[in-house]
């Protein structure tokens, strides 16, 4: 099965429960809302990848097309290093963010990884105003010890452009 | 690296350009001074006037031919505040049509891109060809005698023309031919187009960055080639590149080598240099990763084969930030970005940016390019969001003393050969803008 949750079927995981996966997703959201970005970085597997496609090309070719964010672990490290510095001017002072996660669906991949799809709203508040990003987020998770590692996080924004949401995407979704 | 300096660069700016004092500019001599009145960023009247005198007069960038490769392909977008369809007809000709029905004005197309021969307006079902001709409508007999379909095509700009794949339109019947208008900017468009050694040439990749800034559009015209801000604003980018192994001093004169700023004529400007970052086309740096070294070297080799050592050296190593007046930025830096922007209020602009790449680039080469592009550029990149913040912060600051304050743009104005961290490029833009604003409409 592809990395997408099938649109026309109802599937679930035989190995994992929704509540343990939700616990993990809520933990990730908690770290991001608290700006614990180094800890967030550690949630990824060594070959982890984080992608946000361009808003006009949500279903594009992940290998060839220009995305908004296309970070391998080196990229994620750079992003975290930048955002934790006081010289990331657009995030200084830092946005307050509040993530809402729902409609969590699971499915088992043949290779043992777990597919997860959820709907996410991230409210971002700054002195000049508040905006909200709405995204359809897919994960591939790998069980490790008593938690998970993120092998792949793919966040598709619903917005047709970033103009509706304050102009840029300077935070992690 | 010779051959890229225009004629104008032989004479220092303050000897070449006359002093002026207008409502908007103070361009003074002895002492040399260059001031821009801040009402140009906030005033509603200035905004209305520049729509007519700047955007309705100049050649405006529409798109790149590679975005519509096949007959019937189209892209819907806005240029100079107007919704247009950028199409290719069955004879392979490129068209620019105003996306507003000649009947009562509805958009004839509400998709963003696709391939179709006809555009049928959903309101009363008039149908237009991708040349803009009215083909048919329901109950044609009901229109009065003398009604001729050929009088009711979609409106078009006065002129459309292209140079090396870059398509421009103008709403000004008197506008000079595109090639004359582009003046010395053509040299740099050539350098960019020549990055592709394959038959397909350079192509705009899929994936568009459509974002916005709550600031005046002219601030982005300035910022896109402002070398002076690079170190303070983009420190996080430079720090990250340094931690990945690049040789970056974080010091202007050390990091930007062989730097010059040029006046290319008609308000177009360029800053050239050899910057501290890598270039996927031919300059590998450690931050790109060991595994990419061969891919970049192969690309360099192909350029030498196609263009010879000397030309290949220019294509490979000359970093430049160019502004084609009024609102097209072509930055050929850690990747090639095409960026256009248009104001919808004095304090707000929409920005659209594309990545331009060799059409025959394979997957590993494209990977290097995309990573290089996103390491700096784009509304979620490691640098561009801080430009947004700088410009928005200026715009908020203008409220402090509305109508009585001047911005200083005088850096390097008495130098014979100013660098990219000087401000000749911005003064060149401002003088052209001021001249157009002062002309009769
Ligand atoms: S407005 Fe288009 S057919 Fe009437
Ligand atoms: Fe910048």
């Amino acid at each position: 099965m592809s990395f997408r949750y099938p649109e026309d079927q109802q599937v679930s995981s035989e190995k994992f429960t929704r509540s343990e996966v939700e616990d993990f997703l809520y933990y990730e959201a908690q770290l991001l809302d608290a700006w614990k970005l180094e800890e967030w970085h550690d949630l990824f597997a060594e070959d982890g990848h984080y992608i946000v496609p361009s808003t006009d090309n949500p279903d594009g070719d992940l290998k060839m097309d220009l995305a908004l964010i296309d970070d391998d672990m080196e990229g994620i490290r750079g992003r975290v290093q930048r955002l934790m510095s006081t010289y990331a001017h657009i995030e200084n002072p830092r946005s307050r963010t509040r993530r809402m996660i729902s409609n969590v669906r699971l499915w088992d991949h043949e290779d043992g990884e777990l597919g997860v799809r959820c709907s996410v709203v991230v409210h971002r508040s700054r002195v000049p105003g508040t905006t909200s990003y709405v995204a359809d987020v897919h994960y591939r998770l790998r069980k490790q010890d008593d938690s998970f590692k993120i092998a792949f996080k793919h966040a598709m924004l619903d917005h047709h452009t970033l103009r509706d949401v304050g102009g840029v995407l300077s935070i992690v979704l | 690296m010779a051959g890229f300096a225009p004629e104008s660069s032989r004479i220092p700016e303050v000897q070449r350009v006359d002093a002026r004092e207008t409502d908007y500019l103070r361009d003074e001599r002895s002492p040399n001074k260059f001031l821009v009145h801040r009402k140009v960023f906030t005033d509603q009247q200035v905004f209305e006037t520049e729509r007519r005198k700047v955007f309705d007069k100049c050649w405006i960038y529409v798109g790149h031919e590679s975005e519509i490769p096949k007959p019937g392909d189209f892209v819907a977008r806005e240029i100079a505040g107007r919704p247009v369809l950028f199409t290719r007809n069955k004879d392979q000709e490129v068209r620019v049509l105003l996306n507003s029905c000649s009947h009562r004005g509805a958009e004839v197309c509400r998709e963003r891109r696709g391939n179709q021969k006809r555009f049928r307006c959903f309101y009363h079902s008039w149908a237009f060809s991708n040349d803009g001709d009215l083909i048919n409508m329901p109950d044609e007999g009901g229109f009065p005698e003398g009604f001729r379909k050929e009088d009711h095509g979609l409106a078009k700009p006065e002129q459309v023309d292209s140079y090396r794949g870059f398509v421009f339109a103008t709403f000004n019947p008197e506008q000079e031919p595109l090639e004359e208008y582009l003046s010395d900017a053509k040299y740099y468009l050539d350098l960019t187009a020549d990055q592709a050694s394959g038959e397909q040439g350079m192509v705009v990749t899929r994936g568009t960055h459509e974002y916005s800034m709550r600031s005046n559009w002219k601030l982005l015209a300035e910022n896109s080639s402002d070398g002076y801000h690079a170190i303070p604003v983009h420190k996080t980018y430079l720090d990250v590149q340094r931690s990945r192994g690049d040789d970056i001093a974080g010091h202007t004169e050390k990091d930007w080598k062989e730097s010059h700023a040029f006046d290319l004529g008609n308000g177009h400007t360029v800053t050239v240099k050899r910057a501290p970052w890598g270039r996927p086309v031919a300059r590998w740096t450690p931050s790109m990763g060991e595994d990419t070294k061969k891919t970049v070297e192969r690309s360099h080799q192909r350029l030498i084969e196609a263009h010879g050592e000397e030309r290949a050296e220019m294509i490979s190593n000359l970093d430049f930030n160019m502004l084609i007046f009024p609102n097209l930025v072509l930055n050929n830096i850690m990747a090639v970005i095409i960026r256009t922007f248009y104001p919808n209020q004095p304090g707000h602009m929409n920005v659209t940016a594309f990545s331009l790449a060799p059409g025959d680039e394979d997957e590993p080469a494209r990977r290097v390019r995309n990573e290089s592009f996103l390491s700096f550029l784009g509304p979620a990149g490691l640098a561009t969001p801080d430009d947004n913040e700088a410009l928005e912060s200026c715009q908020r600051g203008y409220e402090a003393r509305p109508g009585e304050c001047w911005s200083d743009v005088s850096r390097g104005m008495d130098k014979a050969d100013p660098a990219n961290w000087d401000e000749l490029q911005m003064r060149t833009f401002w003088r052209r803008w001021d001249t157009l604003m002062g002309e009769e409409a």
Side-chain angles (χ1 to χ4, degrees):
Chain A
M1 199 186 285
S2 80
F3 79 89
R4 293 288 179 79
Y5 186 87
E7 299 286 353
D8 54 353
Q9 291 164 42
Q10 189 180 332
V11 295
S12 196
S13 168
E14 303 196 333
K15 292 189 291 202
F16 301 102
T17 65
R18 172 169 298 105
S19 60
E20 67 185 312
V21 174
E22 279 177 343
D23 268 351
F24 178 75
L25 297 178
Y26 294 161
Y27 179 54
E28 184 199 9
Q30 170 194 325
L31 292 178
L32 288 169
D33 286 344
W35 284 83
K36 299 279 180 205
L37 299 185
E38 272 132 17
E39 291 82 348
W40 172 72
H41 160 275
D42 295 340
L43 298 182
F44 280 80
E46 268 163 43
D47 58 343
H49 212 119
Y50 166 49
I51 296 189
V52 181
S54 294
T55 47
D56 70 329
N57 190 40
D59 292 313
D61 180 340
L62 297 178
K63 296 214 168 71
M64 294 297 279
D65 295 354
L66 183 70
L68 286 164
I69 294 175
D70 191 346
D71 283 350
D72 58 9
M73 285 317 289
E74 190 83 33
I76 291 175
R77 257 192 295 284
R79 190 170 297 278
V80 168
Q81 179 187 339
R82 160 181 155 73
L83 285 170
M84 293 310 288
S85 136
T86 52
Y87 291 91
H89 305 289
I90 194 162
E91 290 300 334
N92 182 25
R94 287 174 180 163
S95 300
R96 287 185 194 146
T97 63
R98 196 67 53 209
R99 284 164 179 75
M100 310 286 168
I101 300 169
S102 74
N103 305 46
V104 177
R105 309 308 307 261
L106 319 177
W107 72 101
D108 294 316
H109 284 277
E110 277 133 39
D111 59 9
E113 288 184 353
L114 176 70
V116 178
R117 179 193 192 179
C118 54
S119 299
V120 175
V121 179
V122 186
H123 300 289
R124 170 184 180 236
S125 301
R126 305 179 64 217
V127 176
T130 298
T131 52
S132 304
Y133 300 94
V134 180
D136 176 11
V137 184
H138 281 76
Y139 291 89
R140 281 182 79 129
L141 300 182
R142 242 173 247 159
K143 185 75 185 172
Q144 199 182 77
D145 306 326
D146 51 1
S147 184
F148 294 100
K149 287 285 179 194
I150 303 170
F152 184 63
K153 176 174 180 177
H154 182 267
M156 266 188 301
L157 289 165
D158 280 345
H159 316 284
H160 285 271
T161 77
L162 288 174
R163 293 163 190 155
D164 304 343
V165 283
V168 291
L169 178 63
S170 55
I171 55 166
V172 173
L173 282 177
Chain B
M1 294 200 292
F4 56 77
E7 207 53 43
S8 59
S9 66
R10 310 235 163 98
I11 309 164
E13 181 185 359
V14 287
Q15 288 169 32
R16 180 166 62 77
V17 182
D18 291 336
R20 76 169 81 190
E21 206 170 301
T22 66
D23 285 353
Y24 310 127
L25 285 198
R26 299 255 165 90
D27 186 1
E28 299 172 12
R29 303 288 175 274
S30 47
N32 294 317
K33 210 185 251 185
F34 195 99
L35 304 173
V36 177
H37 200 289
R38 290 186 186 169
K39 76 178 167 205
V40 306
F41 302 118
T42 57
D43 188 277
Q44 190 68 29
Q45 195 56 49
V46 169
F47 168 67
E48 308 284 345
T49 308
E50 68 191 2
R51 285 182 97 139
R52 281 185 297 116
K53 294 191 177 182
V54 177
F55 288 98
D56 287 353
K57 283 286 163 70
C58 296
W59 280 101
I60 303 293
Y61 181 68
V62 179
H64 194 266
E65 282 172 6
S66 63
E67 293 178 83
I68 45 169
K70 294 190 297 297
D73 283 351
F74 74 90
V75 177
R77 61 173 48 131
E78 258 185 41
I79 61 157
R82 304 162 190 251
V84 301
L85 298 170
F86 180 39
T87 72
R88 191 179 287 273
N89 73 9
K90 61 179 186 317
D91 303 318
Q92 289 286 359
E93 291 157 329
V94 166
R95 295 277 183 259
V96 180
L97 314 170
L98 278 278
N99 187 7
S100 174
C101 184
S102 53
H103 181 227
R104 298 268 256 287
E107 299 153 296
V108 299
C109 173
R110 292 172 298 144
E111 299 291 332
R112 308 179 82 185
R113 62 166 63 239
N115 182 291
Q116 55 195 59
K117 285 202 216 51
R118 301 218 166 150
F119 298 100
R120 184 177 298 282
C121 174
F122 81 100
Y123 196 3
H124 311 90
S125 243
W126 284 25
F128 301 85
S129 72
N130 57 13
D131 279 311
D133 300 330
L134 175 58
I135 310 268
N136 61 44
M137 72 272 257
D139 293 324
E140 200 181 322
F143 288 87
E145 224 181 283
F147 180 97
R148 296 170 355 128
K149 287 211 290 284
E150 46 277 39
D151 298 335
H152 296 267
L154 296 176
K156 294 175 189 157
E158 292 292 336
Q159 304 178 59
V160 176
D161 201 356
S162 72
Y163 183 77
R164 306 244 17 210
F166 299 89
V167 180
F168 294 78
T170 178
F171 298 96
N172 176 4
E174 256 109 70
Q175 182 54 270
E176 64 190 318
L178 179 65
E179 290 214 18
E180 278 168 46
Y181 178 86
L182 289 173
S183 191
D184 287 328
K186 291 203 295 291
Y187 181 86
Y188 293 90
L189 290 172
D190 289 340
L191 269 189
T192 308
D194 287 347
Q195 276 197 11
S197 32
E199 228 164 64
Q200 285 182 62
M202 296 292 277
V203 304
V204 164
T205 69
R206 272 298 169 98
T208 314
H209 288 172
E210 295 176 290
Y211 59 110
S212 59
M213 301 192 185
R214 278 165 289 205
S215 65
N216 188 269
W217 70 277
K218 297 186 287 300
L219 289 171
L220 187 55
E222 285 193 332
N223 169 270
S224 294
S225 59
D226 178 345
Y228 194 31
H229 84 293
I231 303 271
V233 171
H234 302 310
K235 179 173 158 49
T236 63
Y237 163 77
L238 297 166
D239 285 348
V240 168
Q241 295 305 102
R242 193 193 288 114
S243 20
R244 290 186 191 173
D246 282 0
D247 178 20
I248 287 180
H251 180 284
T252 307
E253 276 88 349
K254 284 192 188 131
D255 285 334
W256 271 258
K257 305 210 169 70
E258 301 163 52
S259 170
H260 310 270
F262 297 133
D263 173 346
L264 299 176
N266 290 336
H268 318 316
T269 68
V270 74
T271 62
V272 305
K273 61 261 162 194
R274 188 195 262 263
W277 49 66
R279 290 163 60 83
V281 63
R283 190 168 74 215
W284 182 86
T285 55
S287 66
M288 295 162 118
E290 271 306 319
D291 53 328
T292 68
K293 202 168 181 174
K294 279 218 173 66
T295 303
V296 177
E297 274 165 9
R298 204 176 317 125
S299 163
H300 190 191
Q301 206 49 44
R302 289 179 60 185
L303 288 175
I304 294 173
E305 282 157 25
H307 301 284
E309 286 276 355
E310 208 176 312
R311 177 88 180 152
E313 170 62 14
M314 294 286 288
I315 298 169
S316 307
N317 274 319
L318 193 72
D319 291 284
F320 63 84
N321 295 45
M322 176 162 67
L323 175 78
I324 295 185
F325 190 90
N327 65 336
L328 171 62
V329 164
L330 188 107
N331 287 353
N332 187 330
I333 41 181
M334 69 292 293
V336 182
I337 184 173
I338 300 173
R339 181 191 285 156
T340 68
F341 37 97
Y342 184 79
N344 41 13
Q345 293 164 32
H348 189 278
M349 77 182 106
N350 287 336
V351 189
T352 307
F354 310 88
S355 173
L356 190 69
D360 58 358
E361 201 164 57
D362 59 9
E363 244 178 57
R366 182 59 62 80
R367 175 102 227 122
V368 178
R369 171 175 303 278
N370 287 347
E371 279 180 6
S372 189
F373 188 105
L374 294 174
S375 69
F376 190 102
L377 297 162
L382 265 50
T384 297
D386 294 331
D387 290 310
N388 265 59
E389 179 62 4
L391 272 46
E392 294 191 356
S393 180
C394 290
Q395 194 72 30
R396 294 193 292 267
Y398 296 149
E399 298 305 321
R401 294 172 63 197
E404 48 169 313
C405 220
W406 296 78
S407 287
D408 183 282
V409 196
S410 65
R411 195 173 154 82
M413 83 184 282
D414 44 15
K415 290 187 194 165
D417 180 18
N420 79 320
W421 54 88
D422 292 315
E423 294 170 339
L424 172 129
Q425 62 276 29
M426 295 158 216
R427 290 187 291 276
T428 304
F429 168 85
W430 281 116
R431 288 180 185 122
R432 181 66 186 158
W433 179 86
D434 185 63
T435 300
L436 289 177
M437 291 294 280
E439 283 177 357
E440 293 300 314

